[in-house]
Amino acid sequence: MTAYVHATYEIETSLPLQQAAEILAGEQSTGTFVRVERETDDVRARFAAQVASLDELPLTGSAPLPGAVGDPALRRRARLVIRYPLDNFGPSIPNLLAAVAGNLFEIKELAAIRLVDLDLPAEFAVRYPGPRFGLSGTRLLMNAPSGVMLGTIIKPSIGLAPHELAEVVDELATAGIDFIKDDELQGNGPSSPLEERVRAVMPVLKRHADRTGKMPMYAFNITDDIDRLEANHDLVVAAGGTCVMACINMVGLSGLEYLARRAEVPIHGHRAMFGSIGRSDQVGIAFRAWQKLARLSGADHLHTNGISNKFYESDEQVLAAISDVREPLLGTIPTVPVLSSGQWAGLAHATHAATGTSDLLVLSGGGVHGHPDGPAGGVASMREAWASAERGETLDEAYASSSALRRAAERFGAYRGAHG
Amino acid sequence: MTAYVHATYEIETSLPLQQAAEILAGEQSTGTFVRVERETDDVRARFAAQVASLDELPLTGSAPLPGAVGDPALRRRARLVIRYPLDNFGPSIPNLLAAVAGNLFEIKELAAIRLVDLDLPAEFAVRYPGPRFGLSGTRLLMNAPSGVMLGTIIKPSIGLAPHELAEVVDELATAGIDFIKDDELQGNGPSSPLEERVRAVMPVLKRHADRTGKMPMYAFNITDDIDRLEANHDLVVAAGGTCVMACINMVGLSGLEYLARRAEVPIHGHRAMFGSIGRSDQVGIAFRAWQKLARLSGADHLHTNGISNKFYESDEQVLAAISDVREPLLGTIPTVPVLSSGQWAGLAHATHAATGTSDLLVLSGGGVHGHPDGPAGGVASMREAWASAERGETLDEAYASSSALRRAAERFGAYRGAHG
């Protein structure tokens, strides 16, 4: 039986919708601008992509993409599903992308063209086994068998000397945090080489592990050229580290997959630069489609943003993203959604209520480091607020019982979308 | 002396422009939403990104990005340059991207945010030597010491059996073409494995080389997972092939760089999927910035589209892209601009006049395969039209002297932007 990939798009066009859909299907399979010799009916029957469904949508009022042709008065919007024979490209994510997300973004007859979902056949999970550690491996390594996983980002993002970094990590570990990560801006530059960070951080973590039986998971940012990824990973693992972070868009889905095949610890998948393909509603790739490829490529943790964040996404979009990451995918083990950006203790109840789960890694940067009582207060506020939410209490009840939360609210309570 | 990266952006915002620029600079260096301990003045002085210049631009009338906040009546547009200390990330393209093209696309205070140019210090060229073969290596390998390089794409894009592929290549080689490439949709799927294509194509090319002393360069599409790129490349080289093609956005800039370090033949860099980040004028990365990274990462050939193409770009944009690729870059050797999409012989004079060069690889797919007299006529029409343009003749003079061009015009003369 032939397997197929179904790709869902939203388009706008001034052409009749069916015609535009067929142009898209043709451009991405057997077509060229003139029919050529050997493009037989048999070739078309076996290899042509087909329009599987087409449903008109209301126009959104967004401006047409630059270069779009056609009478603006005729413009209509539709959601369409194109069916691609898997045999055209095989279960290879790079070759899949050339078909479902290649030149089509440049088609001038399309005033909007956005890949919003992908339905992949099981062959992809055979070739790409997905996360190796996922939720259960992460909980095991951080000794956090239940409840939300609480983390933070090193702040300031860049500029700390190794001994200062060690101090910050010591404070956070003392406060009982589960997870710490490098900022995505903290690479492997001369001002703070990865090797020095590892040497500064790991003894601190081990000392706490000896004391408490629990070592916070530290995600060292190992993002770099492909030929350096493995060495960077090995450096972390050799020092006893339990997590590496990769900026997925910077190393590419292919770089992530390369790393995942070699990873002996979970990969914390950062989504920086996703906005360049994801933010417009007229062009690009929606998070729902993209996160499937990131999970198949091996992301154990995947950033989704959190509610009331400082970025462009609405709470509705964030909650959909969390739900997308938690949705089963071709038998792969669960990836951990990572909530970040503007997160602080006062958001625990709303987040827990809206997601209905504690299988989340919640990162609070400023909300931990900027707490009036310092990181210890910040971690306590997060821990107490989430414990209250998980017990089914109201936010008011949490405020009544947690002084750390009340202190957090003094600084962050009015915070709604301010920036920095 | 400290080195810096200068990144140029176009933004729109309802905030005062200087304030928005500083938010961007802060988000991408030392900032968080609250000032934290250890974010000292010294840290800021050494590591903070700075607004180097800011020039207001007229509004374009494009709609604000989704999630943009602020009073629409206050919205203004500006071009700004941010200066990043190289020490923050070092000369690593993935880590550079996290700074100059990371979370900033998601900032809600920005109603447009587009990276339009990058000015990189020499340290990048030390780490990334750029193309290994470039223009001169390509001319040498295809035995085309001067004049435009003429190529085509295998059509139909997918679906040919190996013996049919061999027939098509034979026709094209007989017609004296310089260059042939797989379509970007032709990966390594079960219907046409790379190994079978190599086995079908190379004997044909060698037979022509023995006959004429000139072997057309065939760019086999080796796009695939990182761990397969090298084996795919080796398979082509072992069979005597002289070029490999990679879809840069599918393997990532990092994948391209990984391949370039190992490549024994030129890399034909396809730009499929570029539209997902490049087409919007409100978000993403402009070709001018992106092509610098692709060249540093080792693209020997780089697609720019051609004039009168079937995609969204205007001739002005295409000519700027060709000029960008030909501009010197940190001492790297020249990358060959690849003109494609809707190209046929009738465009030779306009292209030559507008670019002022023959150091171009011009690909004509339908224009060769769909010529009324078949590929032989298609290649002859391209060759004769370009030779005429290079002699300084007018298009009318070419029509008078070239029957192949006149025959091409019977089919493509009225073609302006039709699709397929």
Side-chain angles (χ1 to χ4, degrees):
Chain A
M1 208 188 75
T2 315
Y4 295 97
V5 167
H6 291 81
T8 305
Y9 302 93
E10 283 188 24
I11 65 167
E12 281 183 20
T13 182
S14 297
L15 291 177
L17 289 173
Q18 183 69 31
Q19 186 186 340
E22 283 165 9
I23 285 176
L24 199 167
E27 176 68 30
Q28 297 308 119
S29 60
T30 56
T32 190
F33 72 88
V34 288
R35 186 145 179 175
V36 299
E37 204 193 333
R38 298 190 184 82
E39 188 188 339
T40 60
D41 289 342
D42 175 60
V43 164
R44 288 210 170 182
R46 284 184 56 204
F47 297 98
Q50 307 284 348
V51 181
S53 73
L54 193 159
D55 298 291
E56 187 161 359
L57 299 173
L59 284 173
T60 60
S62 291
L65 286 173
V69 296
D71 180 351
L74 296 178
R75 196 143 54 88
R76 292 155 75 195
R77 191 171 180 99
R79 187 178 177 93
L80 63 99
V81 178
I82 305 275
R83 192 187 77 164
Y84 298 85
L86 179 64
D87 275 3
N88 288 14
F89 37 78
S92 159
I93 289 176
N95 296 129
L96 165 77
L97 284 172
V100 304
N103 281 341
L104 55 88
F105 295 113
E106 308 207 2
I107 296 174
K108 67 169 73 165
E109 288 81 1
L110 300 179
I113 167 63
R114 193 163 152 76
L115 174 65
V116 295
D117 202 1
L118 271 176
D119 184 14
L120 301 172
E123 284 84 347
F124 277 90
V126 175
R127 174 134 160 206
Y128 302 102
R132 273 56 166 181
F133 300 88
L135 174 65
S136 58
T138 296
R139 285 196 177 283
L140 197 69
L141 282 165
M142 64 169 60
N143 194 5
S146 65
V148 78
M149 294 162 275
L150 293 180
T152 191
I153 304 112
I154 293 295
K155 297 287 173 188
S157 310
I158 49 176
L160 291 181
H163 75 274
E164 293 174 309
L165 175 60
E167 285 169 18
V168 174
V169 170
D170 192 36
E171 283 180 55
L172 293 165
T174 302
I177 204 153
D178 297 312
F179 178 91
I180 309 169
K181 69 179 270 292
D182 283 334
D183 196 274
E184 84 278 4
L185 298 173
Q186 180 61 75
N188 196 8
S191 65
S192 186
L194 175 65
E195 192 170 354
E196 287 186 19
R197 301 206 305 281
V198 170
R199 204 183 304 139
V201 166
M202 288 312 302
V204 178
L205 295 181
K206 286 178 178 170
R207 201 170 65 238
H208 283 278
D210 289 344
R211 182 176 60 84
T212 66
K214 174 182 166 78
M215 188 169 87
M217 177 176 276
Y218 191 105
F220 290 97
N221 181 16
I222 66 164
T223 302
D224 213 330
D225 296 332
I226 303 290
D227 281 315
R228 295 173 186 235
L229 281 179
E230 192 169 2
N232 288 354
H233 163 275
D234 291 352
L235 193 155
V236 170
V237 170
T242 56
C243 189
V244 293
M245 163 170 146
C247 291
I248 301 173
N249 294 304
M250 286 41 171
V251 301
L253 290 163
S254 291
L256 172 61
E257 193 265 348
Y258 174 92
L259 176 61
R261 291 206 184 272
R262 291 154 176 82
E264 296 169 36
V265 294
I267 299 172
H268 185 81
H270 200 286
R271 70 171 225 182
M273 197 159 113
F274 175 72
S276 70
I277 58 166
R279 184 165 175 184
S280 171
D281 52 8
Q282 295 294 92
V283 72
I285 302 177
F287 185 78
R288 180 168 171 77
W290 181 82
Q291 58 89 28
K292 291 184 181 177
L293 301 177
R295 287 161 65 194
L296 284 175
S297 299
D300 294 285
H301 308 163
L302 192 57
H303 280 238
T304 59
N305 285 343
I307 62 169
S308 297
N309 70 75
K310 66 182 178 182
F311 293 127
Y312 74 93
E313 286 183 316
S314 66
D315 288 356
E316 188 185 354
Q317 286 176 296
V318 167
L319 293 170
I322 296 168
S323 170
D324 286 339
V325 172
R326 298 187 69 233
E327 191 176 290
L329 176 65
L330 300 176
T332 57
I333 64 172
T335 289
V336 182
V338 181
L339 285 60
S340 69
S341 176
Q343 300 301 292
W344 70 284
L347 301 174
H349 292 73
T351 301
H352 189 258
T355 61
T357 184
S358 292
D359 286 336
L360 306 170
L361 174 52
V362 179
L363 305 186
S364 173
V368 162
H369 296 279
H371 189 279
D373 301 320
V379 174
S381 69
M382 292 289 288
R383 187 71 73 195
E384 291 168 12
W386 270 91
S388 160
E390 287 163 355
R391 285 193 301 270
E393 296 175 6
T394 63
L395 181 57
D396 285 344
E397 290 171 310
Y399 270 94
S401 65
S402 168
S403 63
L405 173 59
R406 289 195 300 277
R407 288 281 282 162
E410 289 171 20
R411 184 133 192 213
F412 309 121
Y415 170 73
R416 280 289 181 280
H419 198 94
Chain B
M1 208 187 75
T2 315
Y4 295 96
V5 167
H6 291 82
T8 306
Y9 301 94
E10 284 188 24
I11 64 168
E12 279 183 22
T13 182
S14 297
L15 290 178
L17 290 173
Q18 183 68 31
Q19 186 187 340
E22 283 164 9
I23 284 175
L24 199 167
E27 176 68 30
Q28 297 308 119
S29 59
T30 56
T32 188
F33 73 87
V34 288
R35 186 145 181 177
V36 300
E37 205 193 332
R38 298 189 185 81
E39 189 188 340
T40 60
D41 289 341
D42 176 60
V43 163
R44 288 207 169 184
R46 283 185 57 203
F47 298 98
Q50 307 285 349
V51 181
S53 73
L54 193 159
D55 297 290
E56 187 160 0
L57 299 173
L59 284 173
T60 62
S62 290
L65 287 173
V69 295
D71 181 351
L74 296 179
R75 195 143 54 87
R76 292 155 76 196
R77 190 170 180 100
R79 185 177 178 94
L80 63 99
V81 177
I82 305 277
R83 191 187 78 162
Y84 298 85
L86 178 64
D87 275 4
N88 287 15
F89 36 77
S92 158
I93 289 177
N95 296 128
L96 166 77
L97 284 172
V100 303
N103 282 341
L104 55 88
F105 295 113
E106 308 208 3
I107 296 174
K108 66 169 73 163
E109 288 81 1
L110 299 180
I113 166 64
R114 193 162 153 76
L115 174 65
V116 295
D117 202 0
L118 272 176
D119 184 15
L120 300 172
E123 284 83 347
F124 277 90
V126 175
R127 175 133 160 208
Y128 302 102
R132 272 55 165 181
F133 300 88
L135 173 65
S136 58
T138 296
R139 285 197 177 281
L140 196 70
L141 283 165
M142 64 169 59
N143 192 4
S146 65
V148 78
M149 293 162 276
L150 294 179
T152 192
I153 304 112
I154 294 295
K155 297 285 172 189
S157 311
I158 48 177
L160 292 181
H163 75 274
E164 293 174 310
L165 175 60
E167 285 167 19
V168 173
V169 170
D170 192 37
E171 284 179 56
L172 293 165
T174 302
I177 204 153
D178 298 310
F179 177 92
I180 309 168
K181 70 180 269 291
D182 283 335
D183 196 274
E184 84 278 3
L185 298 172
Q186 179 61 76
N188 196 8
S191 66
S192 187
L194 174 66
E195 192 171 353
E196 287 185 21
R197 300 206 305 281
V198 170
R199 204 182 306 137
V201 166
M202 287 313 302
V204 178
L205 295 182
K206 286 178 177 169
R207 202 170 64 239
H208 283 278
D210 290 343
R211 182 175 60 84
T212 66
K214 173 182 167 79
M215 187 169 88
M217 176 177 276
Y218 191 105
F220 290 98
N221 181 16
I222 66 164
T223 302
D224 212 330
D225 296 332
I226 303 289
D227 282 315
R228 296 174 186 233
L229 281 179
E230 192 170 1
N232 288 354
H233 162 275
D234 292 351
L235 194 156
V236 171
V237 170
T242 55
C243 188
V244 293
M245 162 170 146
C247 290
I248 300 172
N249 295 303
M250 287 39 175
V251 300
L253 289 164
S254 291
L256 172 61
E257 194 265 347
Y258 175 91
L259 176 60
R261 289 204 185 274
R262 292 153 175 81
E264 297 169 34
V265 293
I267 300 173
H268 185 80
H270 201 286
R271 69 171 226 181
M273 198 160 112
F274 176 72
S276 71
I277 58 165
R279 184 166 175 185
S280 171
D281 52 8
Q282 294 295 92
V283 72
I285 301 177
F287 185 78
R288 179 168 171 78
W290 181 82
Q291 58 89 26
K292 291 184 181 178
L293 301 177
R295 286 161 64 194
L296 284 175
S297 298
D300 294 285
H301 309 162
L302 193 56
H303 280 237
T304 59
N305 286 342
I307 61 169
S308 296
N309 70 75
K310 66 184 178 181
F311 293 127
Y312 74 94
E313 286 182 315
S314 66
D315 289 355
E316 188 185 352
Q317 286 175 297
V318 167
L319 293 171
I322 295 168
S323 170
D324 287 340
V325 172
R326 299 187 69 232
E327 191 176 289
L329 176 63
L330 298 176
T332 57
I333 65 172
T335 288
V336 183
V338 181
L339 285 60
S340 68
S341 176
Q343 300 301 294
W344 70 284
L347 300 175
H349 292 72
T351 301
H352 188 259
T355 61
T357 185
S358 292
D359 286 335
L360 306 170
L361 175 53
V362 179
L363 305 185
S364 173
V368 162
H369 296 281
H371 189 279
D373 302 319
V379 173
S381 69
M382 291 290 287
R383 186 71 74 194
E384 291 167 13
W386 270 92
S388 160
E390 287 162 355
R391 285 193 302 270
E393 295 176 9
T394 63
L395 182 58
D396 285 345
E397 290 171 311
Y399 270 94
S401 65
S402 168
S403 62
L405 173 59
R406 290 195 300 276
R407 287 282 281 162
E410 289 171 18
R411 185 135 192 211
F412 309 120
Y415 169 73
R416 281 289 181 281
H419 197 93

